[in-house]
Amino acid sequence: MSKQEFTITVYTENQVGLLNRIAIIFSRRKINIESMNTSPSEVEGIHRFTIVVNETEEVIKKLARQIEKQVEVLKAYYNTGDEIVWQELALYKVSTDEIAEKVKVERLLREYGARAVAIRKDYTIFETTGHREETDRLVKFLEPLGLIEFVRSARVAIIKASEGFHEKLRQFERQEPGEELVENEFLGQNEEIFTM
Amino acid sequence: MQSTLQQPQKVASPTKTETISGSEAVLKALLAEKVDTLFGYPGGAIMPIYDALYDYREKLQHILVRHEQGAIHAAQGYARSSGRVGVVFTTSGPGATNLVTGLADAMIDSTPVVCITGQVFAHLLGTDAFQETDVINITTPVTKWNYQVTDATELPHVLAKAFYIARSGRPGPVLIDISKNAQLQKFEYEGYTPCDHIRSYRPKPIVRKEYLEEAAKLINAAEKPFVVFGQGVVLGNAEKEFLRFIEKAGIPAAWTIMGLSALPTDHPLNVGMLGMHGNYGPNVLTNECDVLIAVGMRFDDRVTGRLDKYAKQAKVIHLDIDPAEIDKNVKTTVPVWGDCKETLPLLTKLVDQKVYPQWLDTFNKYKKDEEAICIHPEKNPEGDVLSMAEVIAALNELTKGDAVIVTDVGQHQMVACRYAHFNKTRSNITSGGLGTMGFALPAAIGAKFGAPERQVIAVIGDGGFQMTIQELGTVMQNKVDIKILILNNHFLGMVRQWQQLFNEKRYSFVDIESPDFVQVAKGYHIDGFATDKREALKAALKTMLDHNGAYLLEVSVGKEDNVFPMVPQGCSVSEIRLK
């Protein structure tokens, strides 16, 4: 099994220290986190971590189980790139003079899907949202023009097949959660699984 | 109208409150959780709790240890012998950091422990205050759960959660760090409600019928089935259920050292110990069985040896309460998720009543070889020098397998696990996963408090004993009736054995000198005796066991004896060496 990019989505309680608990699951195994984002989720009071890691599926599965084992974690999912819709946001600061002199700004905005979020006498800040290649393209373009500052956010992702967490949470709140919560990946794969 | 209707309702269901301090809330929580004994060491940041404890000293027995590591190992011993949650009090800073080894040990061996540590005043957090340390972050990797309380009103709820998490599901250590202001803070106490549900925490996976059926099918079709079991059987209080299962299915069963004593030693289906220094048959036949049924064990590398040559021919059924254990090390054919207390009876119902005389005979054949090459010579050494195995064998004759044996880590541990007899569960207490030298003495103290009616014997090497030797003070002060059996080979024996076998006898810093242990014990008013004579051994052991109160017996054994069989590191279990 070769390494590939996986996006792990974790639904958690909002608790101090949980970020560390989750982060050390990776660092203990010397696995580098490509990006990590924490934010509210569709359910009030439930937080959502989005973690990007390059690993084999076998390792990712074990990581997801270790994450889910944490007391304050409700659920961990992992997905490949084609199972999610994802975006990253990037900000670029350039000299206003430089841009005004050398570039047709409207072309820049159109071609790179960029927006100017601040325009001042001395500098201008552009923003783009998209996949890594898209935000990188603008870096390449702006570098010769003296890119002063660049920053890119962690990935945020929506799982295409997910029906959200509201119903799940109701299940979790019950003393005896239903079977569907187990989401056992062995189920329905008897042929594959019951042979070595 | 509405407001008048609401008024009497409030009065009708009054919550009786009283104003108490955070410290008192802690002690009330312990009483509500039926804690009777705790192990600890006071210090600045936990003084308010100790002050409150002064008024509770009749209800809560506090054992003052000599080092915080001793406190947590004692709590572990208590938990392991009693099946209840061990409780520890220590102060902030060094008091808390001294717990780390014990927490790691309890984490890897799934021992339910609740540690309460004092912390500096909340307004001093992050200022490098005196005895301030970031205990929560230091202990995160070695706790099942931890939490810092800086507001006393949280305490009843947090402690209820702590006990619930520590003991439910796969048990483990929990640490609650309480700032001094929260200990002092007065608040309206509304009573204590035990916790039985946390929405983000599922202690047990749901038992799935289809897996049990699939597992039973494999077992019923098997010709050479083999059960390997671990501490899960003990933690699930499922010894009876386990026994019924193997007896009905007629399957030979071997144990990891954490599972030892869950099945009586002399049971005809008990085929012995797994792993690096386990028995010959169970190791070799792991690679010959057709269905391997793992119950409450986690396929530790010391058990499996080389993983890519482990039970490759077998279909693997894994019963475990922790979903993260399934497929972690060994690929499972059928996972049976759940508490084995529930899954074993269900499985027993589905399996056919069977016997495998020929298969069982194969184990006996290997046993005979091992008997001839290892066991007999070890128990009956040529020459005058005593062997560890003959000491344990002599001990068996006296205890008849009824004692709790607490072992440290190293050669004596492997020999004790291999040779000690057990009739009763929760009788073998050892540091299995972490391999913590210094575990045995404090753990034996705790084990005695957890099972006061039982004979508790700490079997310790000369190296490990010196790591927590200060706990003799705890034995003295609390008159703890434990027997300390030191098997002294004047070496750090296990490392020496490896250096002999794999490093061309380059004995690098394994030559350890010891004090006169009997004299040291005398200093603590503990009686003792030392011998290296075969003819004195039996009587010396008997004197120790019959002694009223703590006793130390030091037995000098062969300096360069090795523990065999052995699966060398990096080798498959079928490459086990008998010499």
Side-chain angles (χ1 to χ4, degrees), chain A residues 67-129:
Chain A
I67 293 169
E68 217 171 274
K69 189 164 146 175
Q70 304 306 314
V71 168
E72 276 132 355
V73 169
L74 290 130
K75 199 79 200 149
Y77 301 98
Y78 64 86
N79 295 98
T80 53
D82 53 351
E83 294 165 348
I84 55 169
V85 174
W86 64 271
Q87 294 280 277
E88 289 167 351
L89 178 144
L91 296 174
Y92 316 73
K93 183 160 91 180
V94 283
S95 148
T96 303
D97 284 349
E98 194 86 359
I99 286 288
E101 242 171 61
K102 295 183 181 157
V103 190
K104 285 214 165 64
V105 173
E106 63 274 23
R107 199 193 108 206
L108 182 87
L109 299 184
R110 209 169 43 243
E111 271 189 21
Y112 293 91
R115 269 190 333 131
V117 287
I119 304 169
R120 295 181 42 143
K121 268 196 201 135
D122 43 352
Y123 63 82
T124 297
I125 298 175
F126 294 106
E127 175 224 296
T128 61
T129 309

Side-chain angles (χ1 to χ4, degrees), chain A residues 13 20 65 69 71 173, chain B residues 137 143 199-200 322 326 328:
Chain A
E13 298 290 352
N20 186 30
R65 283 185 177 161
K69 189 164 146 175
V71 168
E173 279 169 350
Chain B
N137 279 307
T143 50
R199 68 175 181 184
S200 59
D322 179 359
I326 305 290
K328 190 185 79 177

Side-chain angles (χ1 to χ4, degrees), chain B residues 496-505 507 560 562:
Chain B
R496 187 210 52 75
Q497 175 173 343
W498 283 47
Q499 288 176 346
Q500 179 193 337
L501 296 176
F502 312 118
N503 295 353
E504 298 86 34
K505 273 203 180 187
Y507 287 167
E560 295 186 61
N562 287 334

Side-chain angles (χ1 to χ4, degrees), chain B residues 255 257 260-261 265 273 277 279 378-379 387-393 395-396 404-422 427-430 440 457-461 485 487 494 563:
Chain B
W255 36 270
I257 63 167
L260 174 56
S261 87
T265 310
M273 171 169 158
H277 294 290
N279 291 114
E378 270 183 30
K379 282 187 180 171
S387 77
M388 290 187 184
E390 70 176 313
V391 179
I392 301 296
L395 190 64
N396 285 336
V404 176
I405 308 273
V406 186
T407 50
D408 214 76
V409 172
Q411 286 185 317
H412 76 277
Q413 175 193 32
M414 292 298 111
V415 172
C417 288
R418 285 174 52 78
Y419 291 102
H421 284 196
F422 296 102
S427 297
N428 167 63
I429 297 174
T430 193
I457 305 164
V459 181
I460 320 182
L485 174 59
L487 299 179
M494 188 58 93
V563 185

Side-chain angles (χ1 to χ4, degrees), chain B residues 207-496:
Chain B
V207 179
R208 310 293 296 247
K209 222 176 62 214
E210 37 303 28
Y211 294 130
L212 283 161
E213 282 164 0
E214 217 46 60
K217 242 188 259 169
L218 287 183
I219 294 170
N220 289 337
E223 286 169 15
K224 294 189 279 183
F226 183 32
V227 167
V228 291
F229 67 96
Q231 197 194 196
V233 175
V234 181
L235 293 170
N237 296 315
E239 294 90 350
K240 280 198 188 110
E241 289 79 359
F242 178 74
L243 192 66
R244 267 181 225 129
F245 167 66
I246 58 164
E247 282 182 349
K248 182 177 179 193
I251 306 176
W255 36 270
T256 71
I257 63 167
M258 295 303 289
L260 174 56
S261 87
L263 182 67
T265 310
D266 54 10
H267 192 281
L269 290 172
N270 187 339
V271 292
M273 171 169 158
L274 295 162
M276 188 173 269
H277 294 290
N279 291 114
Y280 193 28
N283 274 309
V284 172
L285 295 175
T286 297
N287 279 357
E288 285 179 29
C289 67
D290 56 358
V291 176
L292 186 71
I293 305 134
V295 185
M297 56 88 77
R298 59 184 176 81
F299 294 110
D300 179 79
D301 61 284
R302 285 295 193 269
V303 162
T304 63
R306 196 172 153 171
L307 213 49
D308 61 359
K309 288 187 176 172
Y310 182 81
K312 284 293 166 198
Q313 79 295 343
K315 301 237 192 296
V316 178
I317 300 168
H318 193 174
L319 286 74
D320 209 286
I321 198 166
D322 179 359
E325 287 302 335
I326 305 290
D327 284 351
K328 190 185 79 177
N329 294 333
V330 170
K331 205 90 179 125
T332 305
T333 318
V334 180
V336 180
W337 293 359
D339 184 344
C340 61
K341 182 100 182 162
E342 295 167 39
T343 52
L344 280 171
L346 293 169
L347 195 56
T348 306
K349 246 185 242 167
L350 297 172
V351 296
D352 299 335
Q353 178 104 35
K354 264 186 164 176
V355 283
Y356 302 89
Q358 244 185 323
W359 173 229
L360 204 57
D361 211 45
T362 325
F363 283 90
N364 289 330
K365 224 183 71 212
Y366 279 101
K367 197 177 172 182
K368 267 179 210 144
D369 290 347
E370 188 182 345
E371 184 75 40
I373 299 170
C374 297
I375 299 173
H376 185 78
E378 270 183 30
K379 282 187 180 171
N380 309 282
E382 290 169 15
D384 297 335
V385 183
L386 288 166
S387 77
M388 290 187 184
E390 70 176 313
V391 179
I392 301 296
L395 190 64
N396 285 336
E397 285 178 35
L398 295 166
T399 64
K400 311 265 185 256
D402 290 332
V404 176
I405 308 273
V406 186
T407 50
D408 214 76
V409 172
Q411 286 185 317
H412 76 277
Q413 175 193 32
M414 292 298 111
V415 172
C417 288
R418 285 174 52 78
Y419 291 102
H421 284 196
F422 296 102
N423 303 326
K424 236 176 138 175
T425 186
R426 293 194 178 276
S427 297
N428 167 63
I429 297 174
T430 193
S431 169
L434 199 66
T436 307
M437 284 175 71
F439 175 82
L441 178 60
I445 294 170
K448 185 68 188 174
F449 282 104
E453 72 293 348
R454 299 193 65 189
Q455 176 82 270
V456 175
I457 305 164
V459 181
I460 320 182
D462 45 324
F465 187 54
Q466 291 184 68
M467 280 200 180
T468 49
I469 196 167
Q470 77 284 348
E471 299 306 331
L472 287 174
T474 310
V475 174
M476 169 185 69
Q477 187 171 356
N478 297 284
K479 303 194 170 41
V480 190
D481 180 9
I482 55 167
K483 314 305 175 194
I484 302 160
L485 174 59
I486 297 172
L487 299 179
N488 189 347
N489 58 8
H490 308 275
F491 261 127
L492 298 174
M494 188 58 93
V495 177
R496 187 210 52 75

